[in-house]
Amino acid sequence: DSTHHDTYDHLIALLDSASVDYRLIDHEPEGATEAVCALRGHPASEAAKCIVLRVKVDRRTTRHVLAVVPGDRRVDLDAVRALFDARYVGFSDAQTAERLARAVPGTVLPFSFDPELEVVADPEVVKQPRLYFNAARLDRSLCLSGADYERLARPRVEPVASPRLPDALPE
């Protein structure tokens, strides 16, 4: 659908205008983190997993937050709730997520092109020398440095990833 192509074009235009060094990677259509990391040939820890959350600050106020965490971690909903001093934090429904992220699930960018969607990225994400994510398409991914990502996306950087499970620690 055309909005999603617009999101891809918007991203590439942003990267080109900022003269950022990035690489495009074409692959089989895939949106699941583990599977797409295997196709791209890198550990899941180098992927940006992007989740749209509904944050109910109080009875009348709901905010939408794009949480960006390493691909081998989950979003820590309690950490997000504490961050916004919210009463409730949960995953957005697919329709809302798609509207705000301007992308289908599995292709959500770690960038927001919607003023209603605030980006919060885990510190682990912005310190990656190479950060991979689907480029608003299931069949194409992008790789750029975490530092360039932070400079362009200007996320709020806060620890919002769940701890790694001990058995998943690299030796």
Side-chain angles (χ1 to χ4, degrees), residues 49-162:
K49 189 192 279 183
C50 309
I51 314 281
V52 181
L53 301 174
R54 205 160 52 107
V55 177
K56 291 180 88 91
V57 182
D58 56 43
R59 282 203 179 83
R60 289 180 307 284
T61 319
T62 297
R63 294 167 71 167
H64 297 280
V65 172
L66 178 63
V68 184
V69 298
D72 59 347
R73 312 269 289 277
R74 289 170 179 223
V75 176
D76 181 339
L77 297 177
D78 290 333
V80 176
R81 192 169 69 221
L83 199 58
F84 289 93
D85 195 20
R87 300 174 59 200
Y88 166 85
V89 172
F91 301 102
S92 278
D93 62 279
Q95 260 182 316
T96 306
E98 203 169 314
R99 177 175 60 81
L100 292 171
R102 301 184 186 173
V104 296
T107 71
V108 174
L109 295 172
F111 291 83
S112 169
F113 297 127
D114 190 306
E116 268 189 77
L117 188 61
E118 180 179 348
V119 185
V120 178
D122 191 80
E124 292 282 319
V125 170
V126 298
K127 71 181 203 203
Q128 287 298 331
R130 286 183 306 280
L131 188 63
Y132 296 85
F133 51 89
N134 276 44
R137 297 164 48 153
L138 286 169
D139 62 351
R140 183 168 287 175
S141 290
L142 210 134
C143 174
L144 79 172
S145 74
D148 279 337
Y149 161 68
E150 184 176 13
R151 188 165 60 85
L152 281 183
R154 295 195 301 278
R156 180 171 171 186
V157 179
E158 300 280 357
V160 290
S162 62

Side-chain angles (χ1 to χ4, degrees), residues 5-15 102 109 112-113:
H5 284 300
D6 291 349
T7 303
Y8 172 78
D9 293 338
H10 197 134
L11 171 69
I12 299 301
L14 174 69
L15 295 170
R102 301 184 186 173
L109 295 172
S112 169
F113 297 127

